[in-house]
């Protein structure tokens, strides 16, 4: 599924270093000067999911395959990007292609790493990017309002409803507020408008507070300010140390766990980010398990069985008959498919079954 998270932030905040750690290879250039990243780097990152290992321990397959999240490392933005400053137009178009945003915010002091706006101020940096997104959205919305006005003059009722919502939204944006926190009593018109314009400030955001190693297991004033800011926006802040995460990228699972214990943290920041990204994209996983492969398949939450089957192959969806389903907990508790079947815990589900995260599934189909 081509749903991606765009990694954004001002230049020199650690975006490309974070990206390198995510892909567990040093293949995205990282350097101490603005616009080091020009063309966006993209990577498919496996979702940390202990359930896959638990299934593999029971089945002993030839290979295991995890669900994934796509990340895009986007060029650093500067003040005035909405007017084309720096790489502004390219930056904004790349964000538009992403479904959500990972906003890397600098929360460390280092005289050897330049700060574009001078001094370390996470809230100023967050507001700089938010402002540029909102300004770009204002231009987009003004163009849409012009088109809706012409349609409304011709007695188009839907256009009139959208126009009323669009004008209220424009006033909201002009007040410096993002589209993500805008509400309207006319939900249908708002939905239709958002489908048409896909505003940048409408996208969900995860804030990555990038700290130095000394602050990983504790707090600093910069991190606390980012957490408060994220909470005000109905979002979440995750603490990372990009340099340390990049160093750990070549470690085994056991070595990474030991490093986290030494740093006084339960889990490294990037695993938290990957999991949270999967969540905000509205994704879920179901599993297939057999001697050749244990595999996690990515679907959108709420998908019914035929559509979920189509992720494996389009023929599975076209010729769907029914699905055999075992819950993950039952499968693991009883030690596999045959024991679950003996216990009567294998269910046959039809076309209207909504697949649940963690289902172990076999599909019957005929084409």
């Amino acid at each position: 599924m081509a749903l991606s998270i765009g990694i954004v932030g001002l230049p020199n905040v650690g975006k490309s270093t974070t990206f390198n750690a995510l892909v567990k290879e040093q293949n995205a250039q990282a350097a101490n000067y603005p616009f080091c990243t020009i063309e966006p780097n993209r990577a498919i990152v496996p979702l940390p999911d202990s359930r896959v290992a638990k299934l593999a321990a029971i089945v002993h397959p030839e290979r295991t395959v995890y669900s994934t999240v796509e990340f895009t490392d986007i060029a650093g933005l500067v003040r005035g990007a909405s007017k084309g400053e720096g790489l502004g137009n390219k930056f904004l178009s790349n964000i538009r292609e992403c479904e959500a945003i990972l906003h890397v915010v600098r929360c460390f002091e280092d005289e050897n790493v330049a700060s574009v706006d001078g001094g370390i101020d996470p809230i100023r940096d967050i507001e700089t990017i938010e402002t540029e997104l909102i300004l770009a959205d204002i231009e987009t919305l003004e163009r849409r309002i012009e088109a809706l006005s012409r349609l409304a003059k011709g007695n188009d009722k839907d256009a009139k409803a959208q126009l009323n919502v669009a004008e209220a939204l424009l006033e909201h944006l002009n007040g410096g507020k993002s589209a993500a926190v805008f509400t309207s009593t006319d939900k249908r018109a708002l939905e239709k408008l958002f489908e048409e314009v896909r505003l940048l400030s409408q996208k969900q955001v995860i804030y990555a507070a990038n700290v130095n190693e000394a602050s990983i297991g504790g707090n600093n004033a910069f991190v606390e300010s980012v957490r408060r800011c994220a909470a005000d926006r109905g979002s979440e802040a995750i603490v990372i140390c990009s340099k340390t995460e990049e160093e750990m990228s070549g470690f085994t699972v056991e070595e990474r766990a030991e490093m986290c214990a030494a740093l006084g943290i339960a889990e490294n920041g990037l695993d938290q980010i990957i999991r949270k990204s999967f969540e905000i994209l509205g994704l879920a996983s179901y599993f297939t398990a057999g001697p050749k492969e244990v595999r996690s398949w990515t679907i959108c939450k709420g998908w019914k069985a035929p559509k979920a089957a189509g992720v494996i192959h389009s023929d599975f969806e076209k010729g769907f008959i029914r699905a055999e389903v075992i819950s993950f907990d039952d499968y693991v508790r009883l030690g596999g498919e045959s024991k679950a079947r003996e216990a009567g815990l294998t269910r046959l589900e039809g076309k209207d079954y909504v697949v649940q995260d963690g289902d172990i599934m076999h599909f019957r189909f005929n084409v």
Side-chain angles (χ1 to χ4, degrees), residues 5 47 69-71 100-102 206 238 272-283:
I5 302 282
L47 173 72
V69 181
E70 181 177 308
F71 286 90
I101 294 171
L102 173 63
I206 304 168
I238 295 171
Q272 295 178 57
I273 284 171
I274 297 166
R275 246 193 295 277
K276 189 64 181 177
S277 298
F278 198 78
E279 179 187 322
I280 71 170
L281 288 174
L283 303 178

Side-chain angles (χ1 to χ4, degrees), residues 293-346:
E293 179 183 86
V294 165
R295 185 172 188 132
S296 176
W297 298 91
T298 304
I299 60 171
C300 289
K301 290 177 182 176
W303 276 13
K304 293 183 179 179
K307 192 168 185 179
V311 173
I312 299 176
H313 195 285
S314 58
D315 284 349
F316 282 34
E317 182 175 5
K318 289 176 187 174
F320 179 88
I321 300 171
R322 64 180 64 90
E324 295 183 6
V325 184
I326 306 170
S327 77
F328 175 82
D329 289 342
D330 288 339
Y331 192 101
V332 172
R333 177 172 55 85
L334 295 170
E337 181 181 338
S338 60
K339 297 282 181 64
R341 196 179 295 278
E342 288 171 13
L345 294 173
T346 300

Side-chain angles (χ1 to χ4, degrees), residues 1-4 19 22-23 42-47 66-72:
M1 297 179 65
L3 299 176
S4 67
F19 181 83
L22 279 166
V23 298
R42 289 184 172 85
I44 305 297
V45 181
L47 173 72
Y66 288 77
S67 288
T68 59
V69 181
E70 181 177 308
F71 286 90
T72 302

Side-chain angles (χ1 to χ4, degrees), residues 166-325:
E167 288 174 339
L169 176 55
L170 181 61
E171 184 178 350
H172 173 89
L173 293 173
N174 278 318
K177 299 174 183 176
S178 72
V181 295
F182 176 76
T183 58
S184 171
T185 54
D186 192 340
K187 290 183 170 51
R188 183 175 174 278
L190 180 60
E191 260 179 45
K192 187 69 176 172
L193 180 65
F194 278 160
E195 283 174 13
E196 295 287 339
V197 293
R198 291 179 58 84
L199 299 176
L200 300 175
S201 68
Q202 181 193 349
K203 297 179 186 294
Q204 292 191 72
V205 180
I206 304 168
Y207 296 94
N210 190 16
V211 302
N212 56 25
E213 190 170 308
S215 298
I216 294 177
N219 294 317
N220 67 34
F222 298 140
V223 170
E224 288 307 310
S225 66
V226 173
R227 282 182 171 143
R228 288 192 298 271
C229 181
D232 288 344
R233 289 155 173 75
S235 187
E236 189 169 328
I238 295 171
V239 178
I240 63 167
C241 175
S242 294
K243 283 191 175 181
T244 301
E245 298 280 358
E246 189 177 29
E247 289 168 9
M248 286 196 291
S249 63
F251 288 9
T252 63
V253 173
E254 293 76 16
E255 288 169 338
R256 195 174 294 117
E258 287 176 12
M259 183 70 162
C260 288
L263 293 168
I265 55 176
E267 182 182 35
N268 62 305
L270 289 183
D271 281 357
Q272 295 178 57
I273 284 171
I274 297 166
R275 246 193 295 277
K276 189 64 181 177
S277 298
F278 198 78
E279 179 187 322
I280 71 170
L281 288 174
L283 303 178
S285 300
Y286 72 85
F287 304 105
T288 52
K292 287 191 176 295
E293 179 183 86
V294 165
R295 185 172 188 132
S296 176
W297 298 91
T298 304
I299 60 171
C300 289
K301 290 177 182 176
W303 276 13
K304 293 183 179 179
K307 192 168 185 179
V311 173
I312 299 176
H313 195 285
S314 58
D315 284 349
F316 282 34
E317 182 175 5
K318 289 176 187 174
F320 179 88
I321 300 171
R322 64 180 64 90
E324 295 183 6
V325 184

